[in-house]
Every structure is written in structure tokens, then in C-alpha cells.
Amino acid sequence: MASTSTPDDAHTTQEKSTGRRVSTRFIYFFGAFGGILFGYDIGVMTGALPFLQEDWDLAGNAAAIGWITSSLMLGAVLGGALSGQLSDRIGRRRAILAAAVVFALGSVLLGITPHQSIAFMVTVRVFLGLAVGAASALVPAYMSEMAPARLRGRLSGLNQTMIVSGMLLSYLMAWVLQHLPTTLAWRSMLAMAAVPAIVLFLGVLRLPESPRFLITHGRDDEAYEVLRTLRPGGAIEDEAREIKETVAAETAAGERTSWASLFQGRYRYLVIAGAGVAAFQQFQGANAIFYYIPLIVEEASGTAAQSALLWPIVQGVILVLGSLLFLAIADRFNRRALLTLGGLVMGASFLLPALIHWVAPGANPMLLVAFLSLYVAFYSFTWAPLTWVIVGEVFPLMIRGRAAGLASSLNWIGSFLVGLLFPIMTASMPQPAVFAIFGVICLLGVVFVRTRVPETRGRTLEEIEESAALRETGKESQSL
């Protein structure tokens, strides 16, 4: 199909379902805006928990604290898995709209939780987690399919900037609202997530669907219209042809997308790579810092957790600055090199406090907090954004929805376990020892990257899939 474009076409596209024209900047901004909600709901309990703990007299009840905090991630496990099937059926755009509705409704329900109703709060946070898990899978998949190969790392990294901006926003809201009456303070913090959810819904209403989804479902004309906007002056026919050839070849081979197919020959290598990176990101312990930093500072310094709300803001600022650094270097350095650098420094940041605590038990306990800040700094521009860049890049087209859902679910399983077990572990062993365990996992993540993850920078999604197929074919030939 021949395509022609006008100067206006080079900057705008018309979404047929809405009849409105939107700019590419608008597309990329709201395509990644789901990360704001994702980040806000990750970070909001950090500020709300000290007030909730006082209001409901939860001090010393490590199990209740763990379940309230981690229940969101439990729902996200299911949400991440279901979002893949849903987005493959109805499209990335409509699935994100559905997630926004759940976000808004769940946030309001949390704000009106009955007093001391732990079961109600846990149930609602599981429900809200469905949307959080869906967003964690849908946003990187959508952004990777909209972005050209040369900018894919930077634009996919925009998702991480949105996530950490949402976290910082929740920390700032906790700081602003901390002087309200205790009950009103934590309820306001939780309910405020409904505001960005409404903004997301209104923005996504005007977004076009992913061109890869459109071509896969035979909507070629719409796909070409979107591509003309996203690739002004580019060879959109070549890109569309590559997508069509991939779909046709796999359809002709009679392959059917199922959970079992994720680990069949030609897909296995890439699925293990993407899902493994997603799992390692959480088991490395980052969210233990983000969820519990006021309580960590309380134990280290002896000050009340409610007086430590400045530390989440410090961590949030580091995360945002790191995400901006990543946007500047995303497409200048190989993915594997950045993951290796980050994993090594992160592992050292967790292991050194344990070593110092063992050699000099009388050392200043706040030294741990300083090392945690170093961890956050390197995590912020390596594993935090690159996990979702790789998840968006590495999965083949025909299984991308399910595979991204699997990766998201594994990521949230790790987040759930960290959120649930960290307060229980710190109640039974010194904090430096707990973080040392995470340090070992960081180093194992480096080994995994060096042995199981392909380099994806600057390669089209189809090129990545083809090279992985050749790799698996070679391995099978060698085993015969």
C-alpha cells in the first residue's frame, strides 16, 4: 500500500473511534501516564502506613502491616496475567481505559474504609491491584509498539519516569497532609489516587491503538494512519511489511497463542529472558525500601516513623533524577551493560552495611540508610527502567500480550513477597542481615543478565525475534 503524508499528517493522527486529531507528544505522554497511577499506588502506603498504624493500633503487628502493604501486589499478580489476554483481545488502549476505571473506584473505596476493618482494606487493595498489575504490563507494551527502534529505550523509559514521579507525588502528598487529624490524613492520601486516574481516562480516550495490534487484527488502514504520524518521513511500508510477514509466517505454521506456547522452542529463550529480568527486579528488594523507609529509619534512628516522612521524599527525588538520567543515556549504552553496572553496585550497597555491622557492631546505624540511598540511585537508572524496556522489546509479537502479562505477574509476585515478609524478617533479625540477602540476589541477577538476556538496543522487534529463533534452532540442532 502506498502512503502519502502531509505536514499535518507528520504531527497528528486521527483516531477513528473518536474523530479527533492528537499530536505525537500527546500520544507518548498519555501512553506512559499510567505509570503515574502505578507509582502513586506503590508509594502511597509508605506515607499512609505510619498514620494508619497509629489510628488502628497496629504497632508490633508485623503480619497485619505486611498484609495491608502487600495485598495490592497480590491483586497485581492476577491483573498482570489477565491484562495480556485482555489487551490481545480488545486492544492496549481499551485495556488501559478499563484499568483507569478500576484505579478510580478502588481509590475512593480505600478512602472510606470502615475503622479497623483490615479485611476490607486488604480486599479493596487486592481489587485495586488488578489495575496496578494491568498498567505495569500494558504501558510498556503499548509504548514499545508505538516507538521507533532508535527511540524505543528513551520512550519506554518515559514509563519509568512516570512511575517514579507518581511515587514522589505520593510522598509529597504525605508530607503535605501529615498535619491533618490522623484518620483524615491516611484516608486522604489513599483517596487522592482517584484524581490522576480520571486524568488518565480522559487522556487515553483520545489515543490511537497500537499499529501492531491493528495489523494483527486486519485493520491495516488504521495501522498505516497511525504509523504515518509516529514515523514522519520514515519507511512505514517496510515496518508494516515486517509486522505482516511475522504474523503471516506464524499463522501459516499453525501456531496458537497459549500459556504453554510461551515455553516452546522458538519462544522459550526470549520468554525466560524477559520474565527472569522482571522477577529479579523485585526479588532484589527495592520495594522493601520504598514501602518501609519510614519504619527503616525509625528502627535505625529511634525516631517516630511519622517524623521520618522526609526520607521517602529524598528517595523519590533520587528516583526521578535517575529516571531523567536514563532518558538521556537510554539509547547510548547497551542494555546488558547498564544492568550489570547497576546490579553490582546495588549488591555492594546491601552487602557492605552487613559487613560493617559484623566488623564494627557499634557503627552508626544510619550508615545503612546512606547505603540504601546509593542503592536507589543506581537502581533508578538501570534495573528500574530497563526491566520494562526489555519486557517491551524482547517478546515476539504473537505472544507479546501473554508474555508481558507473565513477566508482570512474576514481578508482582516478587513485590508481594517482599512487601509481606520484610516486616516479619526485620522483626526476627537485624536489618543489615535482611538487606544482605537482597544483596546476594542482586549479584545473581547480574549472572542471569550475562548468561540469559540478549542485547536489544537499536534492533527492531522483528529482528530480536528472528535472532532468538536462530539461537533456539542452533541449540536444538546441537542436541540432536
Side-chain angles (χ1 to χ4, degrees), residues 372-389:
L372 295 186
S373 298
L374 178 63
Y375 172 100
V376 171
F378 276 80
Y379 175 81
S380 67
F381 71 90
T382 59
W383 280 83
L386 278 170
T387 292
W388 302 114
V389 172

Side-chain angles (χ1 to χ4, degrees), residues 238-257:
D238 293 340
E239 182 172 353
R241 185 168 54 252
E242 284 184 358
I243 298 172
K244 287 182 180 180
E245 289 174 352
T246 301
V247 173
E250 294 186 350
T251 301
E255 295 188 19
R256 302 182 61 179
T257 301

Side-chain angles (χ1 to χ4, degrees), residues 347-471:
S349 299
F350 278 158
L351 291 168
L352 285 176
L355 179 61
I356 294 172
H357 181 75
W358 178 61
V359 173
N364 190 335
M366 286 297 288
L367 207 63
L368 171 64
V369 179
F371 275 108
L372 295 186
S373 298
L374 178 63
Y375 172 100
V376 171
F378 276 80
Y379 175 81
S380 67
F381 71 90
T382 59
W383 280 83
L386 278 170
T387 292
W388 302 114
V389 172
I390 288 177
V391 165
E393 289 179 333
V394 80
F395 296 132
L397 173 63
M398 290 301 291
I399 63 164
R400 185 165 298 134
R402 289 183 185 272
L406 172 65
S408 177
S409 293
L410 289 175
N411 185 269
W412 284 109
I413 288 172
S415 183
F416 166 71
L417 292 175
V418 168
L420 176 64
L421 297 177
F422 181 78
I424 298 173
M425 293 170 68
T426 54
S428 60
M429 67 178 74
Q431 282 189 154
V434 175
F435 284 113
I437 296 172
F438 292 136
V440 172
I441 296 174
C442 288
L443 299 182
L444 292 176
V446 171
V447 174
F448 179 81
V449 167
R450 303 308 301 179
T451 58
R452 297 296 307 175
V453 179
E455 184 55 56
T456 58
R457 181 172 71 100
R459 304 168 70 186
T460 67
L461 303 180
E462 287 67 37
E463 288 172 347
I464 296 169
E465 179 178 349
E466 182 181 358
S467 65
L470 291 174
R471 183 184 190 278

Side-chain angles (χ1 to χ4, degrees), residues 37 40-41 44 103-104 107-108 110-111 169-170 173-174 177 184-198:
L37 284 87
Y40 191 97
D41 281 310
V44 67
F103 263 120
S107 300
V108 172
L110 284 177
L169 176 63
S170 72
M173 289 303 301
L177 299 173
L184 184 59
W186 68 261
R187 292 181 185 277
S188 300
M189 295 175 196
L190 298 179
M192 285 296 293
V195 176
I198 294 171

Side-chain angles (χ1 to χ4, degrees), residues 8 27 178 426:
D8 183 61
I27 292 171
Q178 65 177 316
T426 54

Side-chain angles (χ1 to χ4, degrees), residues 55 59 109 163 200 260 265 287 314 332 393 415 436 460 474-475:
D55 191 29
L109 289 175
I163 292 173
L200 173 67
N287 280 342
V314 171
R332 298 182 183 181
E393 289 179 333
S415 183
T460 67
K475 291 175 83 174

